[in-house]
Amino acid sequence: MSDPVAKLRAAVRDVPNFPKHGIVFKDITPILVDAQLFRASIDVFLERCRGQKIDKIVGIDARGFLFGSAVAYELKVGFVPIRKKGKLPFKTETASYSLEYGDAEMEMHVDSINAGERIVLIDDLLATGGTSAAAAALIAKVGGELLEAQFLIELEFLHGRDKLQPTPVVSFLKY
Ligand code: AMP
């Protein structure tokens, strides 16, 4: 198997009934622990980013930090963390989104993006799209220009990309 995307796909581990009954969790830690696969996972994002003028990468708590920060390092641009409510120490913008039961909130530091900066959003997985739509709303609130949202994995049957419209969505492993 020489195709890096096929190798990445083969390494993703399905964990049924985690974190609760009926969910099949896509575990990406087998990619992280393997030096070649980890590099390959960063490379698929980098290939997509090359040729685009990008000012900052925004990563979503928590696995979006693993991929997003490595991509930002390689592109020599800044990295902005979007975190679950209550984790960021300074003044924040907040966006709420719905979960299966009730609502949750994501936060971003108010001074992390300047108006007009060109942003790529990165997370490990797109499911229903609620989390990344909240992240997109935060980027919009501070005047960032969201070029596209990139995900290692997309669960297509949940139609999460519809929630991100009109932001272009790119994913590398589709299920
Ligand atoms: P959503 O808001 O439904 O698109 O959920 C996306 C967020 O939840 C991402 O940050 C993922 O890391 C996590 N997530 C949702 N579903 C799964 C799944 N089946 N396996 C792994 N992570 C998931």
Side-chain angles (χ1 to χ4, degrees), residues 23-26 60-61 63 97 123-132 155:
I23 305 281
V24 179
F25 193 86
K26 296 285 187 199
I60 300 180
D61 198 346
R63 287 178 295 275
Y97 63 107
D123 201 3
D124 67 325
L125 183 143
L126 175 64
T128 66
T131 313
S132 43
L155 304 183

Side-chain angles (χ1 to χ4, degrees), residues 4 12 17 19-20 29 34 41 45 56 64 68 76 79 83 92 96 109 123 126 129 138 155 170:
V12 173
N17 301 316
K20 56 184 177 185
T29 61
D34 182 298
S41 70
F45 287 104
K56 281 174 185 158
K76 300 187 174 69
F79 175 78
R83 300 211 62 185
T92 56
S96 52
H109 275 155
D123 201 3
L126 175 64
L138 288 172
L155 304 183
V170 175

Side-chain angles (χ1 to χ4, degrees), residues 5-125:
V5 171
K7 283 185 183 162
L8 290 169
R9 193 182 178 89
V12 173
R13 176 164 57 195
D14 282 0
V15 182
N17 301 316
F18 183 88
K20 56 184 177 185
H21 190 76
I23 305 281
V24 179
F25 193 86
K26 296 285 187 199
D27 178 16
I28 49 93
T29 61
I31 292 175
L32 302 177
V33 297
D34 182 298
Q36 280 186 353
L37 288 176
F38 184 39
R39 292 188 71 80
S41 70
I42 301 307
D43 287 346
V44 291
F45 287 104
L46 282 173
E47 235 168 72
R48 174 72 201 180
C49 290
R50 284 205 210 289
Q52 301 199 56
K53 189 193 161 303
I54 298 166
D55 295 309
K56 281 174 185 158
I57 299 290
V58 171
I60 300 180
D61 198 346
R63 287 178 295 275
F65 298 169
L66 305 171
F67 299 110
S69 61
V71 170
Y73 176 86
E74 192 60 31
L75 292 177
K76 300 187 174 69
V77 301
F79 175 78
V80 178
I82 285 187
R83 300 211 62 185
K84 288 160 193 152
K85 191 178 170 61
K87 300 284 187 184
L88 287 171
F90 186 59
K91 261 194 273 173
T92 56
E93 292 287 358
T94 302
S96 52
Y97 63 107
S98 7
L99 294 171
E100 201 175 347
Y101 305 109
D103 289 335
E105 286 177 308
M106 299 299 282
E107 292 184 328
M108 185 177 76
H109 275 155
V110 290
D111 60 352
S112 52
I113 293 174
N114 301 313
E117 280 187 321
R118 294 163 62 85
I119 307 297
V120 167
L121 178 66
I122 288 186
D123 201 3
D124 67 325
L125 183 143

